[in-house]
Amino acid sequence: MSQTTAELVFASIGFVGFFALGIASIVVPRRVGRFFQVGGGPLLGPRLAAKMFSTGRIRYTGWVLTLMMPFVAWGAVTNILA
């Protein structure tokens, strides 16, 4: 596998992962927010984690990820193939 192919595979896996996270954040924001609250709670503290990963913020982040990822992927593929 050449370096360009490996880079394209890595970029496509990253795109699919972040796009899926964006869709999940829109569809089930409570579950995604709870997942990040549990993970970030020990680092941030329970109150700050609950505030940062609230349902509204998670849903907004999901919309941003979902709308932004095609442009990020397009830029990455353009740079890899250039």
Side-chain angles (χ1 to χ4, degrees), residues 4-62:
T4 303
T5 308
E7 289 172 342
L8 287 172
V9 168
F10 187 74
S12 64
I13 290 171
F15 167 74
V16 169
F18 279 107
F19 194 73
L21 179 63
I23 296 295
S25 297
I26 294 169
V27 176
V28 283
R30 267 194 194 155
R31 286 184 185 248
V32 174
R34 189 72 180 146
F35 174 78
F36 283 112
Q37 283 178 16
V38 169
L43 181 66
L44 301 169
R47 285 188 173 183
L48 184 58
K51 182 180 179 182
M52 284 181 65
F53 304 116
S54 66
T55 303
R57 289 181 189 211
I58 289 293
R59 184 173 284 131
Y60 173 76
T61 304

